[in-house]
Amino acid sequence: MFFIIGIFIAIFLSLLLLVKAKKTRADKILFIWLILISVLQIFRYFYVSGYFFDHPNWLGIELVLPVLHGVLLYLYVIEITGNTIKKKGNVFLHFVPSIILLVLTIPFFQLTNEQKILVYQNNGEGFEWFVFIEGLIVVISGLAYSIWSLIVINKHQKNIEDIFSNTEKKKLQWLKTLSIGNGVIFILALFFETNVTYTAIAFLVLFIGFFGINQLNIFYSNKDALETLDREQLIENKKVNSNKISKKSVPKEKYAKSGLTKEGVSEIYAALKDVMDKKAYYKNPELTLVELAKILNVHPNYLSQVINEIENKNFHNYINGLRIKEFIKLASIEENKKYTIISIAYDCGFNTKSTFNKYFKLQTGKTPTDFFNS
């Protein structure tokens, strides 16, 4: 029964992606992954219900498909995190294990229908070598790609703090959980019967559906609800053309290596302090390193270097530190006592209560309530 639920949810989510306007490459990969899950669940239901034995021509088709789970998860993760594989040859390499398995299934497909049924009914008798190799490749591949996906996500989480001032909606925690869940499925495959694994896959589909609906941009085109990653900011941070501060402060020979002299660092930092003191750009909750670099007319890498060297912080921590200082200043004014703590925090540039509380305690060692009561 649970197979049927998983099938319908996977097909439903696939249709949502199919009709979605302005589909990204990540959307297309997720669509293929959901179709794969649907097909596997349908084939499993056919096997359990005995339909396969009435129509043996279908037997064996599902043998190659499970190895694609991990591959599609990984390709989806790298698209979401802005690390698109540009060379088609590199993408092809990820499908080599499935091609190997496809070649190994040729002897099975050469059997008569009666022989195929006997192989299935006798737990792979005569093809024990294939069952072993297939199980090994599927489990190793699934676990490897789940771990690889987690590494990419963790790297992404560190990178976004160098670019975005507010990262709460860009950390992709749901995608990390999805990667862990995918890995758990392949661990279950090592110790439990196939039905348990397919039940776990159905739960994975439920997870994708639940969190996908909450992450509105996955299944619907809604620019205002974009909660994963501002891809354009990341790309621009990598590609934006360099602008000199002055010929003295940034020597030509060092410029190609993104090198700055002490004069250059001091000049950029002075300009940064000036715009922050006078214009308070940190109050913009969507402020990014790229935007601030444009305001200062410097390369984002230079600005990031200056903040790291002088403030000993990344861009994210630096901006949120300024927001906390501004919050303490505003909250200490008597006439502002009529406003709630969180409303003042929002005025200072925070866009979530959890981020505000985290950085307030990080900077002061106390909660906002304890701080003002002490």
Side-chain angles (χ1 to χ4, degrees), residues 2-100:
F2 211 75
F3 293 144
I4 299 175
I5 295 173
I7 291 167
F8 278 106
I9 292 175
I11 292 174
F12 174 70
L13 296 178
S14 301
L15 290 173
L16 286 180
L17 284 168
L18 189 63
V19 300
K20 178 182 176 181
K22 298 180 180 179
K23 287 185 280 291
T24 64
R25 198 180 314 191
D27 293 328
K28 294 172 184 176
I29 293 171
L30 182 58
F31 171 77
I32 294 170
W33 190 19
L34 287 169
I35 290 296
L36 171 73
I37 292 173
S38 303
V39 171
L40 280 170
Q41 293 288 72
I42 289 170
F43 281 0
R44 187 61 193 172
Y45 175 74
F46 283 171
Y47 176 78
V48 172
S49 65
Y51 179 85
F52 262 159
F53 300 116
D54 294 329
H55 303 80
N57 288 328
W58 293 95
L59 287 172
I61 295 177
E62 82 287 359
L63 296 175
V64 180
L65 300 181
V67 76
L68 296 174
H69 268 294
V71 177
L72 292 172
L73 166 68
Y74 173 72
L75 293 177
Y76 181 64
V77 166
I78 62 172
E79 284 295 331
I80 288 291
T81 55
N83 297 295
T84 303
I85 298 177
K86 295 179 180 178
K87 294 183 179 179
K88 292 182 179 179
N90 291 342
V91 175
F92 172 77
L93 290 175
H94 293 285
F95 293 94
V96 169
S98 57
I99 294 171
I100 292 172

Side-chain angles (χ1 to χ4, degrees), residues 296-332:
L296 295 171
N297 195 35
V298 300
H299 193 285
N301 290 345
Y302 290 164
L303 179 57
S304 180
Q305 178 187 336
V306 168
I307 294 172
N308 273 272
E309 286 184 1
I310 297 183
E311 293 287 341
N312 198 27
K313 299 174 181 177
N314 58 34
F315 173 75
H316 178 74
N317 290 338
Y318 169 67
I319 296 298
N320 282 302
L322 292 177
R323 289 168 177 166
I324 292 297
K325 287 181 181 177
E326 180 68 10
F327 169 82
I328 293 173
K329 174 184 166 186
L330 293 178
S332 300

